[in-house]
C-alpha cells in the first residue's frame, strides 16, 4: 500500500460516521509542517498569516508552538475580532478604508495596543484621523516596501502591485511625514516578496520555465536584500524605535531569514500545504488540509460523479487555481466539464472501485480559501476525528 493509499484508508475510517461534503486537517501533517517552518526560519520568529488558516482553534494551536509569534491579518474587522478574542500582536498586512473600525481602534486602549495597521500613503493617515470620532489612542502602524524586481530601467516589472514605496528615500520620507503628525507611531516595516515566496520554481513538465523562474528569483533575492537593508537603515535613522522588519512567505522562509535586516518571517500556507506549494525546490511539505465530496452517480465504466467540488482559487485564472482529485489516486477531471458548481465527473480506472456514497478526497489550490467553503474542520489524529472546530465562516465571519 502506498503512503497516499494509507492516508486515504485513515481518512475514510476517521470520517466513516460523517457525510460528505466535509473538510479535514490532518494534525500530524499540520504539526510537522509547522515544525519545518520554524526550522527553516533559523531562529527568527514566524508570524502566522491568518488568511492562510482562517480558523481560530488552529491559530491558537500553532501560536502555542515555540518559534511562532504574532498574527498577520488581512482585514481590520478581522484584526479587531482576533484582538477581542485574546490574540495579541496582530499586524494588518493590507491598508484599510474601514472608517467604523478605525473609530473603534482609536477609542479602545486594548485594541490600539494589540493591532498594527498598514499604510503606504499619506492619504491613509488622513482617513484614519477623519475616522477617529473622538478616539485619542495612538495608532500603531507599519510601512510596506514594494518588493518588485524592476529591470531595463523599470520597463520590465516582476512582482505583485502593492505599495508605491520602493526606494529607501521614499520610505524615509514617509516616516518623516508620520513623525510630524500626532496620534501615530511607526513600529515596523513589511515587505512581501510574492514573486519569490509564492511562485514555484520546479513545475512538473516545464523545465525551461522552471529554470527561468529560478534565475529570476535569484536575481530578485540579491536586489531585494540590498534594497531592504538600505530601507531599514534609512527608516531607522528617522524612527530608531522600530520594533520589527517583516518579510518572506512560505516559499522563501530560509532565504529571507538569512537577511540581517529582517527580524521576523511571515508564513501561513506552509501549514496546510495546498497544491500551489507542490512545485518548490526549497522545501517539501505534507498536505494537511483536504476536502471530501461524495460519489452520487456512476454514469459508466471508468466514470463517477461527485457532488459539487468546483472551488476555484483567487488569482489569474488557470488550471493551477483548481482543486485536484487526490484520493483515491488516478482520478482526473473530464476535460469537457472540469470541476463543477453542483456536480463533477471524474475519470479513471479507480472510479470502478467507488460506490455511491463513497468519498473522493481533493486538495484545494490556496490555503485559507478552503475555509470559505466549509463551516467546520474535522481534525484528524491517526484514524479518528479528535475534534471538530469552526472556521471563520462557521463563527459567522466572512471578512472578504
Amino acid at each position: 500500500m502506498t503512503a497516499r493509499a494509507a492516508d486515504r484508508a485513515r481518512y475514510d475510517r476517521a470520517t466513516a460516521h460523517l457525510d460528505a461534503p466535509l473538510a479535514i486537517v490532518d494534525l500530524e501533517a499540520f504539526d510537522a509542517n509547522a515544525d519545518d517552518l520554524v526550522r527553516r526560519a533559523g531562529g527568527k520568529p514566524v508570524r502566522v498569516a491568518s488568511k492562510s488558516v482562517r480558523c481560530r482553534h488552529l491559530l491558537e494551536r500553532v501560536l502555542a508552538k515555540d518559534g511562532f509569534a504574532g498574527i498577520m491579518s488581512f482585514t481590520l474587522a478581522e484584526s479587531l475580532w482576533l484582538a477581542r478574542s485574546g490574540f495579541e500582536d496582530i499586524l494588518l498586512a493590507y491598508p484599510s478604508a474601514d472608517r467604523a473600525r478605525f473609530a473603534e481602534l482609536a477609542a479602545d486602549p486594548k485594541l490600539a495596543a494589540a493591532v498594527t495597521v498598514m499604510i503606504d500613503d499619506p492619504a491613509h493617515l488622513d482617513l484614519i484621523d477623519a475616522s477617529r470620532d473622538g478616539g485619542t489612542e495612538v495608532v500603531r502602524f507599519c510601512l510596506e516596501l514594494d518588493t518588485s524586481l524592476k529591470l531595463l530601467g523599470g520597463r520590465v516589472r516582476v512582482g505583485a502591485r502593492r505599495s508605491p514605496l520602493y526606494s529607501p528615500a521614499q520610505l524615509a520620507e514617509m516616516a518623516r511625514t508620520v513623525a510630524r503628525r500626532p496620534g501615530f507611531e511607526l513600529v515596523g516595516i513589511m515587505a512581501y516578496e510574492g514573486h519569490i515566496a509564492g511562485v514555484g520554481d520546479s513545475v512538473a513538465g516545464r523545465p525551461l520555465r522552471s529554470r527561468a523562474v529560478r534565475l529570476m528569483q535569484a536575481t530578485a533575492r540579491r536586489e531585494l536584500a540590498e534594497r531592504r537593508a538600505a530601507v531599514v537603515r534609512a527608516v531607522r535613522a528617522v524612527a530608531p524605535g522600530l520594533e520589527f522588519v517583516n518579510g518572506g512567505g512560505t516559499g522563501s522562509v530560509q532565504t529571507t531569514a538569512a537577511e540581517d535586516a529582517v527580524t521576523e518571517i511571515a508564513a501561513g500556507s506552509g501549514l496546510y500545504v495546498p497544491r500551489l506549494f507542490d512545485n518548490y525546490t526549497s522545501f517539501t511539505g505534507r498536505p494537511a488540509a483536504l476536502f471530501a465530496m461524495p460519489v452520487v452517480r456512476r454514469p459508466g465504466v471508468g466514470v463517477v460523479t461527485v457532488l459539487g467540488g468546483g472551488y476555484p482559487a483567487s488569482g489569474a485564472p488557470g488550471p493551477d487555481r483548481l482543486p485536484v482529485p487526490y484520493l483515491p489516486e488516478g482520478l482526473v477531471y473530464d476535460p469537457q466539464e472540469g470541476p463543477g458548481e453542483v456536480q463533477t465527473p471524474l475519470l479513471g480506472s479507480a472510479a470502478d472501485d467507488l460506490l455511491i456514497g463513497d468519498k473522493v478526497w481533493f486538495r484545494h489550490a490556496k490555503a485559507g480559501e478552503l475555509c470559505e467553503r466549509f463551516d467546520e474542520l474535522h481534525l484528524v489524529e491517526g484514524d479518528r476525528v479528535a475534534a471538530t472546530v469552526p472556521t471563520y465562516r462557521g463563527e459567522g465571519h466572512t471578512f472578504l
Side-chain angles (χ1 to χ4, degrees):
M1 180 182 293
T2 67
R4 279 175 58 174
D7 282 342
R8 180 196 175 201
R10 286 197 302 113
Y11 300 151
D12 282 347
R13 286 196 299 271
T15 63
H17 62 296
L18 299 171
D19 290 330
L22 59 84
I24 67 166
V25 171
D26 184 330
L27 290 180
E28 181 181 337
F30 181 89
D31 290 342
N33 292 333
D35 292 343
D36 190 57
L37 288 172
V38 171
R39 177 190 63 79
R40 292 167 58 207
K44 292 186 177 178
V46 178
R47 185 181 291 272
V48 183
S50 63
K51 79 177 184 69
S52 300
V53 180
R54 303 192 202 200
C55 171
R56 281 200 299 170
H57 177 90
L58 290 175
L59 288 173
E60 291 170 350
R61 184 183 184 93
V62 72
L63 285 170
K65 293 179 174 292
D66 290 340
F68 288 88
I71 288 176
M72 177 177 283
S73 58
F74 61 97
T75 74
L76 184 54
E78 179 211 15
S79 305
L80 301 189
W81 177 64
L82 289 174
R84 289 185 172 118
S85 300
F87 292 93
E88 299 176 347
D89 188 10
I90 301 163
L91 169 62
L92 174 57
Y94 306 87
S96 176
D98 190 338
R99 293 175 174 83
R101 273 22 180 269
F102 275 129
E104 294 177 35
L105 180 69
D108 189 318
K110 178 183 175 182
L111 297 180
V115 176
T116 299
V117 303
M118 186 67 61
I119 70 168
D120 58 37
D121 190 304
H124 293 140
L125 302 176
D126 296 337
L127 186 146
I128 295 170
D129 269 340
S131 305
R132 286 181 181 272
D133 193 27
T136 59
E137 295 299 321
V138 172
V139 174
R140 293 165 51 87
F141 76 93
C142 175
L143 294 177
E144 181 168 2
L145 166 67
D146 175 20
T147 65
S148 61
L149 175 64
K150 296 182 180 180
L151 304 170
L152 301 178
R155 294 190 295 275
V156 175
R157 182 181 184 282
V158 181
R161 297 183 182 276
R162 292 176 64 109
S163 171
L165 304 176
Y166 187 84
S167 69
Q170 287 175 312
L171 277 96
E173 179 55 32
M174 189 68 199
R176 283 190 287 270
T177 296
V178 180
R180 293 191 289 265
R181 295 184 62 153
F184 295 94
E185 181 184 8
L186 173 57
V187 297
I189 298 172
M190 179 192 129
Y192 172 57
E193 51 267 41
H195 50 303
I196 303 171
V199 178
D201 63 348
S202 181
V203 183
R206 303 287 297 276
L208 294 180
R209 172 178 169 79
S210 298
R211 183 177 178 183
V213 169
R214 287 193 291 272
L215 178 62
M216 175 276 291
Q217 290 179 338
T219 303
R221 279 194 295 268
R222 289 192 296 270
E223 185 278 334
L224 178 58
E226 294 177 5
R227 182 158 52 91
R228 180 154 39 200
V231 162
V232 172
R233 288 193 298 270
V235 173
R236 285 195 186 280
V238 180
L242 208 63
E243 296 175 11
F244 64 85
V245 177
N246 180 281
T250 289
S252 72
V253 171
Q254 59 266 50
T255 55
T256 304
E259 295 182 34
D260 291 338
V262 174
T263 66
E264 63 175 40
I265 307 299
S269 296
L271 296 169
Y272 288 166
V273 187
R275 63 165 298 203
L276 278 177
F277 285 83
D278 285 347
N279 303 317
Y280 286 77
T281 58
S282 60
F283 80 105
T284 300
R286 293 175 55 182
L290 300 94
F291 68 92
M293 309 305 287
V295 173
V296 293
R297 284 177 170 160
R298 290 171 50 87
V301 175
V303 186
V304 292
T305 301
V306 299
L307 185 72
Y311 301 158
S314 59
D320 65 337
R321 301 289 149 168
L322 301 178
V324 290
Y326 185 58
L327 302 170
E329 299 178 66
L331 295 175
V332 297
Y333 292 126
D334 182 335
Q336 297 185 62
E337 296 195 45
E341 175 191 9
V342 177
Q343 70 165 34
T344 298
L346 297 170
L347 312 180
S349 60
D352 295 328
D353 295 325
L354 292 169
L355 304 176
I356 300 296
D358 283 352
K359 296 179 177 76
V360 175
W361 297 90
F362 292 77
R363 292 179 64 202
H364 60 299
K366 292 189 74 174
E369 293 185 11
L370 175 67
C371 294
E372 298 299 337
R373 302 286 184 170
F374 293 91
D375 288 344
E376 57 190 19
L377 298 172
H378 302 286
L379 307 184
V380 172
E381 283 185 337
D383 60 358
R384 69 184 184 92
V385 172
T388 298
V389 298
T391 61
Y392 279 12
R393 168 177 147 160
E395 296 199 69
H397 295 287
T398 51
F399 293 109
L400 279 178

